[in-house]
Amino acid sequence: EVQLVESGGGLVQPGGSLRLSCAASGFTFSSYWMTWVRQAPGKGLEWVANIQQYGRDKFYVDSVRGRFTISRDNAKNSLYLQMNTLRVEDTAVYYCARDDCRGGNCYPNFEYWGQGTLVTVSS
Amino acid sequence: QSALAQPPSVSGSLGQSVTISCTGTSSDVVSYNRVSWYQQTPGTAPKLIIYEVSSRPSGVPDRFSGSKSGNTASLTISGLQAEDEADYYCISYTSSSTIYVFGTGTKVTVL
């Protein structure tokens, strides 16, 4: 059974940093791109970032580029999101999901999701 | 990259059909058959219900169908059921540096 479990959320002040983790199991983690999606309270979904199987290629939404860094450790079956210079508008539930990139093309077919972890940026 | 445009809400009676539109641009919906749809109920993670415009994952009822014409992708729910009451989001691949863009989301209410 595929499982994705996020952790690392919490309350942080504006300008602060936080690192989210996503522990994967039930599939060959190193064979898949992985993605982060967030959802602000009462708002819609926003794609945040994704990463190629071996971390060579990474893509980001414009609003986090330069502040957030996606990474992974295939030996630990884990995905990470390092979030720096956090803003109030980064407050959201952050989900990790298995991405679907093949043959050099990416498809937004996120079949498996974690339960999400809440990040609150507030003074 | 702006979010794809969806109507904020649609409603229908039990057994009726509803259609949700998802309007994009030449950078996304028009140029790529890489549009997916997600269903989300409160407090839960989104669930994939349509991928690559019109394909259904196993286990998704066939009352959910997807299509695309020009700059608009559509999700149709036929024979609306009470359990279909949820938020629905489209998402497309985009040629911009962002690579994926979600729609604004649509709340479906079953009357």
Side-chain angles (χ1 to χ4, degrees), chain A residues 39 47 99 102 108-110, chain B residues 34 36 38 40 52 98 100:
Chain A
Q39 186 170 36
W47 177 82
D99 207 324
R102 42 192 154 93
N109 309 334
F110 312 143
Chain B
R34 305 186 212 173
S36 299
Y38 291 85
Q40 187 183 33
E52 291 166 50
T98 295
Y100 294 138

Side-chain angles (χ1 to χ4, degrees), chain A residues 9-103:
Chain A
L11 175 63
V12 61
Q13 292 188 336
S17 298
L18 210 55
R19 187 175 92 147
L20 305 184
S21 300
C22 170
S25 61
F27 66 102
T28 304
F29 181 71
S30 60
S31 295
Y32 291 88
W33 285 64
M34 295 295 294
T35 256
W36 287 98
V37 173
R38 68 182 179 183
Q39 186 170 36
K43 302 298 184 182
L45 300 171
E46 181 181 40
W47 177 82
V48 174
N50 71 350
I51 185 169
Q52 183 255 3
Q53 291 97 323
Y54 294 100
R56 181 191 63 205
D57 295 324
K58 306 173 186 181
F59 297 93
Y60 299 91
V61 68
D62 289 347
S63 58
V64 309
R65 190 176 295 113
R67 299 188 298 122
F68 290 11
T69 302
I70 189 172
S71 63
R72 64 192 294 161
D73 185 336
N74 288 341
K76 295 182 178 179
N77 289 343
S78 292
L79 174 72
Y80 306 102
L81 187 68
Q82 177 67 44
M83 305 184 295
N84 297 332
T85 319
L86 281 161
R87 304 168 180 167
V88 170
E89 54 265 34
D90 295 319
T91 294
V93 173
Y94 285 74
Y95 297 98
C96 65
R98 196 175 82 177
D99 207 324
D100 183 11
C101 297
R102 42 192 154 93

